[in-house]
């Protein structure tokens, strides 16, 4: 039995499949070589339509918003512009153009090229 498990393990490694322990539920899963995640896709029993990966992505994003003022400003501006788009006060192309502009601004602010006040003023335009 042990030899069979070793054979299977090395066959997975040869095919670039890696066993990984989920950081949410603690169970092992096989990670494909095309994706990289520390979380499995198993459904969580307390919330059936959500998987460990879904839950972890949401928590990671919320933590980023709490701890990074650049992302907090970006998220607030995104919600404002998305509301304009949904109320038909902004066209789809205008929203997409603003989105690209906002991402550039966010990157500059994160790199320290923009002051926070300037970033906050520019992203609302």
């Amino acid at each position: 039995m042990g030899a069979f498990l070793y054979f299977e393990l090395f066959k997975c490694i040869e095919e670039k499949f890696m066993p990984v322990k989920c950081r949410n539920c603690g169970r092992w899963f096989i990670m494909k070589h095309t994706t990289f995640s520390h979380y499995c896709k198993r459904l969580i029993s307390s919330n059936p339509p959500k998987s460990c990966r879904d839950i972890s992505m949401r928590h990671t994003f919320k933590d980023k918003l709490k701890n990074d003022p650049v992302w907090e400003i970006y998220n607030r501006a995104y919600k404002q512009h998305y509301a304009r788009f949904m109320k038909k006060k902004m066209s789809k192309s205008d929203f997409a153009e603003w989105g690209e502009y906002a991402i550039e601004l966010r990157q500059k602010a994160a790199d320290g090229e923009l002051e926070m006040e300037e970033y906050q003023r520019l992203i609302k335009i």
Side-chain angles (χ1 to χ4, degrees), residues 81 90-104 125:
H81 282 76
M90 182 182 244
S91 70
K92 188 174 186 176
S93 61
D94 288 342
F95 181 67
E97 186 178 317
W98 175 85
E100 292 173 10
Y101 170 73
I103 290 171
E104 288 175 17
I125 298 174

Side-chain angles (χ1 to χ4, degrees), residues 22 24-25 27 39-56 59:
C22 178
N24 188 44
C25 67
R27 295 170 60 189
Y39 304 95
C40 66
K41 291 184 178 179
R42 288 187 189 97
L43 296 180
I44 297 174
S45 59
S46 63
N47 196 356
K50 301 289 181 189
S51 67
C52 287
R53 192 171 292 176
D54 296 335
I55 298 296
S56 68
H59 287 298

Side-chain angles (χ1 to χ4, degrees), residues 15-75:
E15 296 294 323
K16 298 188 173 123
F17 291 94
M18 292 296 297
V20 180
K21 191 172 186 177
C22 178
R23 290 185 179 175
N24 188 44
C25 67
R27 295 170 60 189
W28 289 89
F29 68 100
I30 301 295
M31 180 177 62
K32 297 178 183 175
H33 69 283
T34 57
T35 60
F36 181 77
S37 178
H38 295 288
Y39 304 95
C40 66
K41 291 184 178 179
R42 288 187 189 97
L43 296 180
I44 297 174
S45 59
S46 63
N47 196 356
K50 301 289 181 189
S51 67
C52 287
R53 192 171 292 176
D54 296 335
I55 298 296
S56 68
M57 288 184 340
R58 180 167 293 154
H59 287 298
T60 303
F61 185 70
K62 284 182 180 179
D63 287 344
K64 187 185 291 189
L65 289 179
K66 286 180 186 175
N67 300 324
D68 191 352
V70 172
W71 274 91
E72 183 181 6
I73 292 167
Y74 170 80
N75 192 47

